[in-house]
Amino acid sequence: MMDRDMTIFRRFNEVDERYLSSDKHIHTCFVDGEGTVRNIVKEASVRGLNQIAITDHMRKDSTYSAGYFDEIEKQASLSDIQVLKGFEAKIKDFDGNIDISDDVLSRAEVGIASVHRFPMGNRLCFPEEFDKKICQEIELELTLNAVKKGICNVIGHPGGMSIRAYGEFPSEFFEEIIDACSKSNIAFDINSAYHVNAAKQVAGILKRYDPFVSFGSDAHSLDRIGECLQDVWRECTNV
């Protein structure tokens, strides 16, 4: 199981300027990103970030994890910023299980569990295959069950698949997820790739329940590193 060290996160009401200069959701060329780990660490430093997490997509049968974590550790030792070892893995069933190996869980510092496609029997279905209301309800159930299971320490881009497919996710569903994250001490991934139009929608809910939060660009290219909606969140958090 993963050592769920939450000291690397902050609760929403404790967010300060330093924490806004972090990015805990970045992808590299090990899978579908563009930059190497070295490129990303260098770019993050140039952009004035003080903490990043490299969180490439992984599955239980991924074969690159050893070299991937070794490279992150190497570049972290050469950098003046904190570089965390991480992954992003899909929520694979309605029991909240994650498609990841125990070995990866034992080495990672940031583990992101995300809804991507929907597991239906032996199929993985695209969200667009369901009408809006059903899509949103499926995403809610998958997310809540992953929070309850507690395998990872971050829930990735909550509501993001519904937002991408239909442009919205109900506030009451965000509230259920944020409440569950707060009670379970799991970080809510505030994600620039999905939440750009939902920031003010969820800010009041985050303030009320005060969960741990993780700011992430979901960058797959160097030019998006650190794109974590800092200006929006400065306004929302009064930083």
Side-chain angles (χ1 to χ4, degrees):
M1 292 295 290
M2 185 174 187
D3 178 14
R4 284 178 45 201
D5 177 13
M6 301 307 291
T7 63
I8 57 177
F9 302 100
R10 294 288 180 273
R11 291 192 179 275
F12 183 76
N13 293 331
E14 297 172 351
V15 169
D16 57 15
E17 189 67 39
R18 180 172 176 78
Y19 196 60
L20 282 170
S21 296
S22 64
D23 186 344
K24 293 192 186 70
H25 195 144
I26 302 174
H27 298 281
T28 79
C29 61
F30 266 93
V31 184
D32 60 349
E34 295 179 4
T36 64
V37 175
R38 181 175 180 273
N39 294 152
I40 287 166
V41 173
K42 181 178 179 181
E43 184 67 21
S45 183
V46 167
R47 289 174 178 246
L49 301 183
N50 57 67
Q51 182 193 63
I52 64 170
I54 309 295
T55 57
D56 269 325
H57 297 285
M58 283 195 190
R59 298 178 178 178
K60 190 171 185 177
D61 59 359
S62 293
T63 59
Y64 70 91
S65 61
Y68 166 79
F69 284 133
D70 288 347
E71 179 64 12
I72 295 173
E73 289 176 355
K74 175 184 175 182
Q75 296 305 323
S77 71
L78 300 173
S79 178
D80 57 352
I81 67 175
Q82 184 179 23
V83 183
L84 302 168
K85 303 187 297 292
F87 66 85
E88 181 180 17
K90 70 175 180 289
I91 300 167
K92 69 177 185 178
D93 58 38
F94 285 90
D95 292 323
N97 292 304
I98 312 301
D99 187 10
I100 202 70
S101 70
D102 289 340
D103 179 62
V104 168
L105 286 171
S106 70
R107 293 194 67 176
E109 296 162 289
V110 175
I112 303 175
S114 298
V115 176
H116 286 125
R117 285 188 283 171
F118 297 166
M120 295 290 173
N122 294 323
R123 292 184 59 214
L124 287 174
C125 302
F126 289 98
E128 296 85 351
E129 295 181 48
F130 305 88
D131 68 35
K132 181 173 72 173
K133 187 174 185 296
I134 297 299
C135 172
Q136 293 167 341
E137 290 175 348
I138 292 171
E139 183 162 14
L140 173 66
E141 183 175 353
L142 287 167
T143 303
L144 289 176
N145 288 341
V147 173
K148 182 178 180 180
K149 195 79 170 184
I151 295 172
C152 295
N153 56 7
V154 181
I155 289 295
H157 46 69
M161 295 301 99
S162 297
I163 290 171
R164 177 165 287 181
Y166 292 107
E168 61 182 319
F169 194 65
S171 292
E172 60 268 28
F173 288 3
F174 272 127
E175 184 166 4
E176 287 190 57
I177 294 168
I178 290 168
D179 183 24
C181 285
S182 183
K183 290 175 178 175
S184 301
N185 288 331
I186 291 176
F188 182 97
D189 174 36
I190 297 173
N191 189 293
S192 298
Y194 295 88
H195 293 147
V196 64
N197 294 319
K200 294 184 179 180
Q201 177 187 2
V202 301
I205 305 171
L206 289 166
K207 186 173 182 64
R208 187 158 66 252
Y209 290 95
D210 198 25
F212 287 104
V213 291
S214 178
F215 290 96
S217 64
D218 214 333
H220 286 70
S221 60
L222 294 176
D223 62 343
R224 289 204 51 225
I225 293 169
E227 186 182 279
C228 300
L229 305 177
Q230 285 95 335
D231 290 341
V232 172
W233 290 105
R234 283 189 185 94
E235 179 182 346
C236 293
T237 58
N238 297 315
V239 170

